[in-house]
Amino acid sequence: MADVLFKKISFIGIGLIGSSLARVIRRDGLAKEVVACARTEETRKKALDLNLVDNVTDNIALAVKDAELVILCTPIGAYEAVTKNMSGSLKPGAIVSDVGSVKRAVIEA
């Protein structure tokens, strides 16, 4: 078991890739708190039922508040809206990463 690296990690989107990362983070105790933001109640409930996260919300700004690491796991086309919704709530020094496979469209947006 590794040392806790982060107080809070937030996932924006908790589909296949996000849930896989959350499972490893939980298994290895890499964060004190894992939070997910998902649009649907069904997805939020499933994330809790599978013990992937400690808390879930449909509010992006709330999900990223006080997070030291934020991982975007939404379709790339949603990145612009997601980043606008979270930008005012990010903790100074927070790491923001993503699981997208392309970068040019993201950078341009």
Side-chain angles (χ1 to χ4, degrees), residues 14-33:
I14 190 80
L16 183 61
I17 296 172
S19 65
S20 296
L21 289 171
R23 191 177 305 276
V24 170
I25 289 166
R26 299 280 280 184
R27 180 194 71 202
D28 293 351
L30 302 177
K32 288 186 179 187
E33 180 182 15

Side-chain angles (χ1 to χ4, degrees), residues 51-65:
N51 196 33
L52 298 173
V53 297
D54 299 298
N55 295 296
V56 293
T57 182
D58 63 353
N59 183 308
I60 294 170
L62 183 61
V64 303
K65 185 178 185 305

Side-chain angles (χ1 to χ4, degrees), residues 29-74:
L30 302 177
K32 288 186 179 187
E33 180 182 15
V34 180
V35 174
C37 181
R39 289 180 301 137
T40 68
E41 178 62 33
E42 179 182 3
T43 301
R44 294 190 299 272
K45 183 178 182 329
K46 190 69 157 179
L48 287 171
D49 289 347
L50 292 173
N51 196 33
L52 298 173
V53 297
D54 299 298
N55 295 296
V56 293
T57 182
D58 63 353
N59 183 308
I60 294 170
L62 183 61
V64 303
K65 185 178 185 305
D66 297 323
E68 296 170 323
L69 173 62
V70 176
I71 305 174
L72 307 182
C73 303
T74 64

